[in-house]
Amino acid sequence: MKFFADTADTAEIALLAETGLLDGVTTNPSLIAKSGRNFLEVIREIAALTPGPVSAEVVASDKDGMLREAEVLRKLGDNICVKLPLTLAGLAACKALSDDGVMTNVTLCFSANQALLAAKAGATFISPFVGRLDDIGSDGMILIEDIKMIYDNYAFDTEILVASVRHPIHVLQAAKLGADVATMPPTVIRALASHPLTDKGLAAFDADWAKTGQSIL
Ligand code: E4P
C-alpha cells in the first residue's frame, strides 16, 4: 500500500521524504489556507520534494474552468495530479484530462456509485473520505469495501486512495481491505511507527548495553 501525506506543510513533507516511506502528497484548499502560503508556490515546492504524485485541487466549478486551472497546475511539476471534485463537471473534466494522459484524483467521494462514475471517467485515483463518514455516524470503511468489490468486478485501473484518515486503525483497515493508497496527516504516519513496547524494549536494551562498556564503532 502506498503512503501519501495529506498536508501542505513543506517542512513535514521534507522530513517524511527522508524516511523513504513517502509515496506522494495530497493537498486541498483548506490545507493550502492553513499553510498561509501562495498556492502555486507551495505546490511547486511540494512537487520538488516528493517522489510520487502530488494532488493539487482545482477550485473552478465548471468543466472549462477546471481544465484551464489544470493547465496551470500541471506546469508546477511532472508529478502533479489534478484533483477534481466529484460533481458532473468534475467528472467531465476528469474524462477529458485522463483521455489526454493526465493524472487525476477525484475527491470528496462519499458513495460507491460516485466511485463507479469516477472509474468510468478514467480517474487515476478515487478519494473516498472515511473519517467524514464516520463523523456523521456511517462506517467509512464499508465504503472502501464496496468500492474495492466494484473495481475488482470490472477490473478498473482506478486506484482507491483512502482519504480523511484520522488514526492508525483506519490505515490498518484500509490495508486489510487491499486499498491502494492511504493519505494521512503526518501525525498519523508517525503514529504507525510507534508502540509503547518498542520504546520500553529499546530503553532496556540501551541500559543493558551501557553496562557492557562496549561500543560498535
Ligand atoms: C484528501 O485528499 C483530503 O485532503 C483529506 O484527506 C481530507 O481529510 P479531512 O476530512 O480530515 O479534512
Side-chain angles (χ1 to χ4, degrees):
M1 184 166 67
K2 285 175 266 192
F3 282 7
F4 288 3
D6 196 30
T7 183
D9 183 332
T10 51
E12 286 277 26
I13 293 166
L15 285 175
L16 291 168
E18 269 179 29
T19 67
L21 296 169
L22 187 67
D23 300 300
V25 169
T26 52
T27 64
N28 63 40
S30 304
L31 292 170
I32 297 295
K34 190 173 158 198
S35 79
R37 296 188 52 195
N38 175 273
F39 178 36
L40 302 183
E41 189 183 289
V42 78
I43 293 293
R44 189 181 287 112
E45 205 175 307
I46 293 172
L49 284 169
T50 311
V54 173
S55 289
E57 190 160 340
V58 298
V59 291
S61 53
D62 62 301
K63 176 190 168 190
D64 290 343
M66 289 180 196
L67 292 178
R68 279 195 300 274
E69 290 178 353
E71 272 310 302
V72 175
L73 297 177
R74 286 176 57 195
K75 292 189 184 123
L76 301 174
D78 291 341
N79 50 348
I80 295 296
C81 175
V82 178
K83 201 172 182 191
L84 304 145
L86 211 154
T87 57
L88 283 178
L91 291 168
C94 175
K95 179 78 174 81
L97 290 169
S98 54
D99 283 350
D100 277 354
V102 177
M103 245 193 312
T104 52
N105 175 358
V106 177
T107 189
L108 290 167
C109 170
F110 294 96
S111 80
N113 279 334
Q114 287 182 316
L116 177 57
L117 291 177
K120 284 179 69 67
T124 314
F125 300 103
I126 180 66
S127 289
F129 277 37
V130 295
R132 293 192 194 188
L133 281 169
D134 291 355
D135 289 345
I136 61 158
S138 296
D139 184 343
M141 282 299 156
I142 290 176
L143 175 58
I144 304 303
E145 208 175 323
D146 287 348
I147 298 172
K148 174 78 179 145
M149 183 191 294
I150 292 167
Y151 282 12
D152 285 351
N153 282 348
Y154 298 99
F156 282 124
D157 290 333
T158 301
E159 294 189 35
I160 303 172
L161 192 171
V162 180
S164 189
V165 164
R166 301 278 164 77
H167 46 68
I169 300 289
H170 276 151
V171 183
L172 176 65
Q173 291 170 324
K176 285 166 94 171
L177 290 171
D180 302 283
V181 192
T183 189
M184 301 162 251
T187 46
V188 174
I189 299 181
R190 273 193 282 275
L192 296 177
S194 149
H195 196 288
L197 290 180
T198 305
D199 297 342
K200 189 179 169 195
L202 196 54
F205 287 159
D206 283 349
D208 289 340
W209 178 249
K211 287 180 209 157
T212 72
Q214 300 178 47
S215 80
I216 295 175
L217 298 178

